[in-house]
Amino acid sequence: MYKDLENKVVVITGASTGLGKAMAERFGKEKARVVLNYLKDDSDYQEIIQTIEAAGGKAVAIKGDVTKEEDVKKLMEYAVEKFGTIDVMINNAGIENEVPSEKLTLEDWQKVIDVNLTGMFLASREAISYMLEHNIKGNVINMSSVHDRIPWPHFVHYAASKGGVKMMTETLALEYAPKGIRVNNISPGAIDTPINAEKFNDPKATQEVIDLIPMGYIGKPEQIAACAVWLASEESSYVTGMTLYADGGMTKYPGFQAGKG
Ligand code: BGC
């Protein structure tokens, strides 16, 4: 538990499922005030709000598309209207789809770049400008991926977006460090979330992924949420511009594990 997170206002995009949901619930346990952004009407955000409140936190939810400037502005306004400030911005909303690169349409390329990179830029910009205006030494946490450094055939748009997120994080960290605003990245490996459901329903495909993980298992969303609360807390107060790989060793060249080479 991180005492300083109590009552902190934490805005999370894509908060109704997967890693966003796990982070929202963990911030609830820290008794933070959580603003959930969700995209789809059938999202189970009500249930997440109840879980957060049962744990002693507070939560509200607002629908919005992170690729739309006006929706992102509304998200920030809603946070301020409901809870009075913004302390932590977690850019989590992200999408992926598998297509061989020679067949990737401009539309698909654009969609992934819009959500994964432009969406994160828009919410970072809005949150940082609020923090600057109100002299808040806040935190921005971007959800990147191991694919901000591991090339990923058939997912060129996704890998390009995450590489962009990593450099955006580092640039913003440098730019706002003098103001006490920290900007960091979390780069998860293979985690058991709905984005991977199809793959992990297939035992062969699952084993192929496990073979890429030196620690030998698929990560749990709670393990990523644990990174997020640490990065948002004062315990990481001297950490900025960093990418925290939470990947069971996936970025450490598992092919070399046996000492060959
Ligand atoms: C992707 C997952 C993938 C993992 C490891 C993540 O960024 O969202 O689908 O399993 O990287 O390749």
Side-chain angles (χ1 to χ4, degrees):
M1 295 287 284
Y2 298 94
K3 201 80 190 106
D4 62 285
L5 292 180
E6 196 170 327
N7 281 323
K8 283 273 154 67
V9 178
V10 184
V11 181
I12 307 178
T13 64
S16 63
T17 179
L19 297 179
K21 175 179 173 183
M23 288 189 283
E25 292 182 345
R26 176 64 199 265
F27 276 99
K29 285 189 185 148
E30 302 291 337
K31 303 192 177 10
R33 293 178 289 171
V34 188
V35 182
L36 313 166
N37 150 268
Y38 64 93
L39 181 64
K40 294 182 186 142
D41 284 322
D42 59 357
S43 309
D44 63 356
Y45 60 88
Q46 294 289 10
E47 208 182 301
I48 303 171
I49 292 178
Q50 281 167 15
T51 308
I52 292 172
E53 298 198 330
K58 291 198 172 66
V60 290
I62 178 170
K63 184 176 166 170
D65 178 342
V66 294
T67 70
K68 299 208 168 96
E69 203 164 16
E70 63 274 21
D71 284 16
V72 174
K73 286 185 186 221
K74 269 193 211 142
L75 171 63
M76 305 302 157
E77 282 161 16
Y78 188 68
V80 174
E81 180 195 317
K82 292 288 176 186
F83 292 143
T85 189
I86 301 167
D87 297 300
V88 181
M89 177 70 233
I90 302 194
N91 286 309
N92 167 73
I95 53 171
E96 69 187 50
N97 68 316
E98 179 172 6
V99 191
S101 299
E102 81 277 9
K103 299 213 170 83
L104 181 63
T105 61
L106 176 59
E107 198 189 344
D108 260 8
W109 166 272
Q110 198 69 59
K111 205 166 144 198
V112 168
I113 297 292
D114 280 353
V115 176
N116 295 10
L117 183 57
T118 311
M120 292 203 188
F121 163 68
L122 287 175
S124 299
R125 186 192 68 192
E126 291 305 310
I128 289 171
S129 83
Y130 181 86
M131 289 168 188
L132 289 173
E133 202 180 318
H134 296 85
N135 202 18
I136 294 162
K137 298 191 185 324
N139 258 286
V140 178
I141 298 171
N142 296 321
M143 298 309 291
S144 183
S145 160
V146 288
H147 298 296
D148 61 23
R149 57 179 280 188
I150 302 178
W152 202 16
H154 297 190
F155 292 85
V156 68
H157 44 350
Y158 183 81
S161 72
K162 296 301 185 179
V165 167
K166 184 168 183 290
M167 195 44 91
M168 182 181 78
T169 298
E170 293 181 24
T171 300
L172 295 176
L174 183 59
E175 196 163 346
Y176 298 106
K179 300 288 181 188
I181 298 171
R182 298 191 290 124
V183 188
N184 288 291
N185 240 353
I186 298 173
S187 293
I191 312 296
D192 190 9
T193 61
I195 211 172
N196 290 315
E198 213 183 299
K199 192 164 52 191
F200 295 159
N201 278 336
D202 172 355
K204 186 169 168 276
T206 306
Q207 190 53 51
E208 282 166 6
V209 176
I210 292 173
D211 290 344
L212 297 169
I213 308 169
M215 287 183 77
Y217 69 96
I218 308 285
K220 298 266 160 265
E222 295 73 24
Q223 292 176 301
I224 303 304
C227 299
V229 285
W230 178 71
L231 277 176
S233 81
E234 279 303 301
E235 290 292 304
S236 62
S237 55
Y238 207 46
V239 178
T240 197
M242 291 310 294
T243 294
L244 174 50
Y245 290 96
D247 66 351
M250 197 180 227
T251 44
K252 300 299 164 297
Y253 302 98
F256 282 78
Q257 204 166 22
K260 299 256 160 51

